[in-house]
Amino acid sequence: MDDRETGDPRALFAAALTRLRRRVPDVSDETLARRAGAVVLPSGRRVAINARRLGEWVNGQSVPRKFEAVMVLIQAVEWTAGGASAEQPTVAHWQQLWRAARDYRSSPDRSSPAPGQPPQPRSRIVIGRPPSDAAALRRRDGLADSIDAAMRDASVRQILLTGAGGVGKSQLATAAFHRAMQRAEILLWVPAGDRLSVLGSYARAWRALTGVRVTGGEEEAALPGIDRGGDDETQADLFLNWLRSTATPWLVVLDDIDDPGELGGLWPAGDAGRTVLVTRRRDATLLRPGVRMIPVGVFTADEAIAYLADRLLLDLGPAAGQHGSPAHRREDLAALSAMLDHFPLALSQAAAFLIDTGMDLPAYLSLLADRRESVAGLLPPSSPADEHGGTVTGTLQLALGRAELLAPPGSVRAMLELISMLAPEGIPDAVLLGTAARDWLGAGPVPERAALLALRALHRLSLVTHHGPAGPAVVDVHSLVQRAIRDDVPPERRERLATAAADALEEVWSAPDCEPETETVLYRSAEVLLARADGHLWRAGGLHPLLRRFGRHLTAVGRPAAARDMAQRLADQARGRLGDGHRDVLTLRAQAAQAEGDLGGTAAALRSLGRIRREAEDSLGRTDPDTLFIRLQEARFRMESGLIDAALADFVALAAEARGTLAAGDPLVTDADDHVALCRGLSGDARGARDGYAAIALALERELGPRHPRTLTVLTNLSRWIGETGDVRLAVTTHQQAVDGLASALGRLHPETLIARHNLAYWHGIAGEPGAAAEQLVTAADDAELALGAEHPTTLTCQVNLAYWRGVAADTAAALRSLEELRPTLERVLGADHPRTLRARQQQAELLYRRGDHTTAAERLTTLLTDMVRIQGANHPRTREAERLLARWSREQVAAVSRQELNVTEKASAAPDAES
């Protein structure tokens, strides 16, 4: 029977202290002792409290010599917990419990084990010293709950807290250690940096276990009949064997495991207890049945801001009852948190630096933003983190040194240098394992296996996270790790490093089978690389090929404004470095003009591309691949301006010349053929367009396969002309096939898929199903807003056509209101002269006509037609369509007037003669 149930005064006092202690389970003994020592008694005195003694009092191993120690402890708990408990004993009762426990002497034989048997502790034993609580400690509820759930799970024997150095693993383990005091009777905290440290801690635990006090005095006495062992190895073995056999609840924390291989044979095991493993390592040695891995990452944004707010508020403790400096602005705290990417160790060092130097936060933010400043200088050893033995850079170098032992010499650091130039998340591992990357890792391309070993070594030490094989094979890394590594790259290696990173991205991006999702993540890394390369991607012969992909990619994903800005910025830089006539300058200028045209500036784009094309023909030649690209864009905007016949002639000539110059299957040849077919259709030859697109689709299906995105995109174009030739139901069926394929290949939120979904809905409307069209456009508009934003052109197009088809289906008045509400947004985002804005005005006029307001509809369409002629030209297909529509309305009005006049005449003829 437990002494706490027998009326033993010492046990009763310890039980009361335990209940008091449980009110603040997340506060360590060190912190609670420090707070108790700061309490000022009515006499004006303070009482020093020792954390080890506090643990002995709660465990019933000893009793305070003076009652004042009990009083300050009670006040410290009440201050920490926010007030006294309703069940709290009175002061008189506390004094009675304390006096009875102090005067009590136990019988020596009450707790003695049977000779030769392992000792059974009569009260909790705590061995080892966990780290003290960090200032402004965050509980991190999600992680704490995961740890507690693992503690309760009978199938879990070990809990593995793994993550980069400095993310707060030990603080989480410390809090769990204190919470476990409510359940476990044996608690051991082990510094596990090396084997000797672990052996020494186990031996100390065995000595403590076999030396439990039996006299109640200050001295320990060994229990008779127990093998205390000789050296640390023997005592450690005895302790581990006891853990396996005991029914006493226990907890062992192995903190900061450096090399799991060193701890062979020293892993605690036993049904009565749990082990918490704290390490940056993720080796196979640690991942086995019965282990629950809990990855520990950085703070959330809210946790980071709250930490900084509390840490920078100079709390002087409960005795002082006052605060120092005023709170900082939340937006500054958020900015600091974001710039340090919520990394706990960095936040702690930054806070210490601000406190130590007295620097204001805005000035420090300016330093952080300056890429010339090093991480070591911004987070110096002179301002160490609270309750952490290292700095950000020191912790990183320690882990990197250990990782370098796990792969061929030099490869690990070189791999991390390469990673440091790219985006911090979502780097495809194909970029890091390709030929270009492997060439950077050694004097020549190292074997792929060696590159993989280097990458996995970084993963094993939590310097990066290499995802897979269950999901996408990508690599994530903390941005502060990247910055610290870049700081250490010697100046003479930086140009080669930037080039190697660009080569690695270009190698993957240029592959024929590069998927659109991969292109998106490659663009993110390329954009980061451009900012970090310090001009090293510009060479005397021209810019790196990777930079040409920026504008093309942004255009392809439906971001013409971003494409224009990026292409223009690169063109301005290239002009200063390479001169006006260089092919790279001409190509970038053409990309900028193309994007301007996509935003509605058709006439301006056509003029710019004409000038650029003439310059390219003079300096590069008419059939140079870059000149062919420029000619393609010029012909496209000639088509957009309504000069269909001239554009058709341009495209036919371009397609023929491209076939003679470029390799078979080059995308530019396909684009030229695509536009030849489109121009045939726009010029009135719908059957020719249909046949042209059918031939392109068949060729792409043979070359790339029926499910390739390029094949499916051409299939959507074919669907349109199937409908234009009169086979509306087949057009709907073919559009559905293209939408299903694009959704499978690219995802339902990809810009190409969203456009195809919009077109499918449109043809449902043309097929006489306006309700189905509106229903599909509701989902498409919502998805476009989710994927692209509320004011993206594709989103606005879906919303405009949703309103139109709702009006055709039923509620014309509501549809007209929606179109009127959308018009200011269209004019602001796209411009008043953009084709989409003009189309919305036409649809509004059509709905007015359907409602019966023929005069207003005709007036608005007449005004619109004048604008269309001015903007697009008289021959533009949309201009001619509006002209035909207005003419039809005029004929209908003439016919209606004629019918009215006929009806009047017929009524007059049928009326009785007034004379009769």
Side-chain angles (χ1 to χ4, degrees), residues 324-376:
S325 63
H328 294 273
R329 295 191 310 164
R330 181 177 176 81
E331 54 266 36
D332 287 340
L333 296 175
L336 177 57
S337 170
M339 293 181 79
L340 297 177
D341 208 5
H342 318 312
F343 190 45
L345 177 57
L347 293 169
S348 181
Q349 272 203 269
F353 182 81
L354 288 167
I355 293 170
D356 290 342
T357 63
M359 182 181 293
D360 63 40
L361 190 45
Y364 187 62
L365 290 172
S366 297
L367 283 178
L368 279 174
D370 188 345
R371 292 195 297 125
R372 296 170 299 180
E373 296 286 341
S374 69
V375 173

Side-chain angles (χ1 to χ4, degrees), residues 6 60 85 133 378 385 485 536 678 728 829 841 844 875:
T6 65
S85 169
D133 292 345
L378 293 166
I485 289 297
H536 292 313
L678 178 59
V728 176
V829 175
R841 289 170 60 189
Q844 196 171 21
N875 293 323

Side-chain angles (χ1 to χ4, degrees), residues 398-686:
L398 182 66
L400 183 57
R402 178 62 73 177
E404 288 183 303
L405 301 177
L406 305 176
S411 62
V412 170
R413 182 176 291 273
M415 177 65 78
L416 192 53
E417 289 173 341
L418 190 65
I419 292 171
S420 76
M421 299 299 290
L422 307 174
E425 70 287 322
I427 307 169
D429 68 358
V431 172
L432 305 173
L433 301 177
T435 303
R438 290 186 281 116
D439 187 55
W440 164 254
L441 298 185
V446 302
E448 185 172 345
R449 178 176 174 275
L452 182 60
L453 283 175
L455 180 58
R456 293 303 295 181
L458 293 170
H459 173 84
R460 288 167 66 180
L461 269 295
S462 296
L463 288 164
V464 306
T465 297
H466 183 202
H467 298 280
V474 297
V475 174
D476 297 337
V477 61
H478 195 278
S479 60
L480 209 57
V481 172
Q482 291 181 301
R483 182 169 179 175
I485 289 297
R486 290 196 305 275
D487 288 345
D488 284 346
V489 176
E492 64 273 13
R493 282 168 51 87
R494 291 175 184 171
E495 180 176 359
R496 182 169 170 250
L497 173 58
T499 302
D503 289 345
L505 292 171
E506 176 67 14
E507 179 183 351
V508 176
W509 207 336
S510 61
D513 58 349
C514 184
E515 298 290 341
E517 295 93 336
T518 304
E519 291 182 356
T520 298
V521 297
L522 291 173
Y523 174 77
R524 286 203 299 268
S525 277
E527 196 173 29
V528 170
L529 174 60
L530 179 62
R532 294 175 175 174
D534 295 327
H536 292 313
L537 299 182
W538 300 91
R539 294 172 286 195
L543 53 79
H544 194 284
L546 181 72
L547 299 185
R548 285 176 169 234
R549 297 189 178 275
F550 284 65
R552 294 204 301 268
H553 172 76
L554 291 169
T555 297
V557 298
R559 297 176 58 192
R564 177 198 59 196
D565 295 344
M566 176 62 77
Q568 191 59 59
R569 177 161 67 93
L570 291 174
D572 291 341
Q573 295 176 10
R575 185 182 287 111
R577 294 170 181 266
L578 306 173
D580 285 335
H582 194 280
R583 67 170 60 251
D584 290 333
V585 176
L586 294 170
T587 300
L588 292 170
R589 287 170 58 198
Q591 289 182 0
Q594 173 192 357
E596 187 66 40
D598 290 338
L599 287 168
T602 304
L606 183 57
R607 289 192 298 270
S608 295
L609 287 164
R611 289 193 299 270
I612 299 168
R613 187 256 309 160
R614 288 188 291 273
E615 293 178 41
E617 288 179 341
D618 290 342
S619 60
L620 305 177
R622 180 177 173 82
T623 59
D624 181 88
D626 288 331
T627 306
L628 291 172
F629 166 76
I630 297 167
R631 289 172 57 193
L632 178 74
Q633 299 307 318
E634 182 187 14
R636 181 165 78 88
F637 287 107
R638 183 170 289 117
M639 176 191 70
E640 293 285 350
S641 68
L643 302 174
I644 305 300
D645 292 338
L648 176 58
D650 288 344
F651 283 126
V652 169
L654 178 64
E657 293 177 43
R659 278 192 177 83
T661 303
L662 304 176
D666 190 284
L668 192 143
V669 176
T670 304
D671 285 346
D673 288 338
D674 185 299
H675 283 89
V676 168
L678 178 59
C679 284
R680 293 193 192 283
L682 294 177
S683 65
D685 184 6

Side-chain angles (χ1 to χ4, degrees), residues 14-335:
L17 284 178
T18 298
R19 288 191 292 272
L20 179 71
R21 182 69 180 84
R22 285 174 180 169
R23 295 194 61 205
V24 286
D26 290 336
V27 177
S28 66
D29 285 350
E30 288 85 354
T31 299
L32 187 57
R34 188 168 62 249
R35 291 178 180 176
V39 172
V40 180
L41 294 167
S43 63
R45 295 179 57 247
R46 289 189 176 92
V47 178
I49 302 295
N50 180 277
R52 183 176 64 82
R53 288 295 188 194
L54 173 59
E56 292 177 354
W57 300 341
V58 173
N59 293 333
Q61 294 173 292
S62 64
V63 178
R65 294 180 181 276
K66 296 182 180 296
F67 183 64
E68 290 173 333
V70 181
M71 290 302 302
V72 296
L73 179 61
I74 294 170
Q75 291 186 43
V77 170
E78 290 178 351
W79 179 86
T80 302
S85 169
E87 301 176 356
Q88 180 75 16
T90 63
V91 174
H93 189 194
W94 271 114
Q95 193 165 23
Q96 181 181 358
L97 288 171
W98 167 76
R99 184 173 289 112
R102 184 195 60 183
D103 296 339
Y104 179 73
R105 292 293 183 269
S106 302
S107 173
D109 61 354
R110 292 178 59 193
S111 58
S112 298
Q117 296 299 315
Q120 296 298 320
R122 68 177 198 86
S123 59
R124 186 186 310 115
I125 297 178
V126 181
I127 306 109
R129 186 181 294 275
S132 298
D133 292 345
L137 178 69
R138 300 292 100 189
R139 173 177 163 79
R140 308 180 78 175
D141 290 331
L143 290 168
D145 291 345
S146 296
I147 295 170
D148 290 345
M151 290 280 197
R152 293 189 297 268
D153 191 333
S155 67
V156 175
R157 302 262 63 88
Q158 294 181 339
I159 300 162
L160 174 62
L161 301 183
T162 181
V167 294
K169 303 182 298 296
S170 295
Q171 288 288 315
L172 286 166
T174 297
F177 188 80
H178 293 305
R179 291 195 300 274
M181 290 183 184
Q182 303 176 26
R183 302 182 298 273
E185 295 185 28
I186 303 295
L187 297 103
L188 174 61
W189 184 278
V190 181
D194 56 62
R195 186 178 184 85
L196 289 177
S197 177
V198 175
L199 285 171
S201 295
Y202 288 173
R204 180 184 171 199
W206 180 250
R207 291 192 294 270
L209 193 61
T210 56
V212 176
R213 290 185 180 88
V214 296
T215 64
E218 293 290 329
E219 298 297 326
E220 293 182 345
L223 293 170
I226 300 300
D227 180 5
R228 293 178 62 97
D231 56 18
D232 282 359
E233 288 269 5
T234 303
Q235 293 176 347
D237 289 342
L238 290 169
F239 177 67
L240 290 171
N241 289 333
W242 182 84
L243 291 181
R244 286 183 176 277
S245 61
T246 186
T248 302
W250 55 266
L251 173 69
V252 175
V253 176
L254 297 175
D255 184 39
D256 195 20
I257 299 171
D258 185 37
D259 183 0
E262 282 194 6
L263 303 188
L266 296 182
W267 303 109
D271 292 338
R274 297 288 186 277
T275 306
V276 176
L277 312 176
V278 183
T279 180
R280 63 170 64 89
R281 302 292 290 256
R282 290 184 283 201
D283 298 57
T285 307
L286 299 168
L287 305 175
R288 53 188 183 274
V291 175
R292 173 76 54 83
M293 185 173 78
I294 300 178
V296 181
V298 299
F299 283 151
T300 65
D302 288 341
E303 287 172 342
I305 293 169
Y307 168 80
L308 288 171
D310 289 351
R311 184 70 181 95
L312 295 175
L313 188 66
L314 302 179
D315 188 347
L316 301 180
Q322 57 183 331
H323 295 283
S325 63
H328 294 273
R329 295 191 310 164
R330 181 177 176 81
E331 54 266 36
D332 287 340
L333 296 175

